[in-house]
Amino acid sequence: MNQLLLPLLLMLVVAIPLVMGTRKQKKAAAAQQELLSSLAPGDRVMTTSGLYASVADASADTTIDLEIAPGVVTTWLRQAVREKVEPVVETDEDTLDDEAVDETIVEAKDDERVEEKSGAQIAPPLEHGKK
């Protein structure tokens, strides 16, 4: 009985991770297949090569037309689509931050003009550690 116990335990140690790994791969393949079959015109996607595009036509079985720029449509294999990506939406906070940066730049330029007119010069920074 003891002679059979060790080989049986070794087989279980090898078999359990193997079975769990194949289940995980099957779930990932099923999720990818569901993604590819659910693509519709207007969806924003990323390809396996990192290209972001919008789906222009998804009526073919093996290929898909992607719009990579306004008016530029290319044909790809469906398997090249890695994932759906949420479209980038510019919020009011983004525009307010951009306006604040623009105002800061304008104020800095105005300050430089005032210094130029007044003839004020800024002393160079002191260097520490020189003997």
Side-chain angles (χ1 to χ4, degrees):
M1 181 71 174
N2 286 338
Q3 294 174 350
L4 294 175
L5 188 60
L6 184 60
L8 184 61
L9 284 174
L10 286 174
M11 287 177 45
L12 284 175
V13 167
V14 171
I16 289 175
L18 186 65
V19 169
M20 298 301 281
T22 56
R23 288 184 63 209
K24 188 175 181 180
Q25 283 181 337
K26 285 182 183 179
K27 285 182 182 180
Q32 183 67 15
Q33 189 62 35
E34 182 181 335
L35 168 76
L36 295 178
S37 63
S38 71
L39 291 175
D43 288 343
R44 186 102 171 116
V45 296
M46 182 178 74
T47 64
T48 55
S49 61
L51 178 76
Y52 289 91
S54 297
V55 176
D57 182 27
S59 61
D61 290 338
T62 59
T63 60
I64 189 167
D65 291 340
L66 299 178
E67 184 175 18
I68 58 176
V72 180
V73 177
T74 58
T75 302
W76 293 70
L77 286 174
R78 276 189 183 267
Q79 288 82 9
V81 175
R82 175 179 290 166
E83 62 186 78
K84 279 188 185 179
V85 180
E86 295 297 322
V88 178
V89 178
E90 190 170 313
T91 62
D92 291 338
E93 291 177 5
D94 293 339
T95 56
L96 292 176
D97 290 341
D98 292 342
E99 291 172 2
V101 169
D102 291 342
E103 290 174 6
T104 305
I105 292 171
V106 169
E107 289 174 5
K109 287 182 180 179
D110 289 342
D111 291 342
E112 289 174 5
R113 289 185 193 132
V114 170
E115 288 177 7
E116 287 175 4
K117 288 181 182 176
S118 67
Q121 294 183 354
I122 299 174
L126 298 175
E127 296 182 21
H128 296 286
K130 277 194 167 182
K131 290 184 179 182

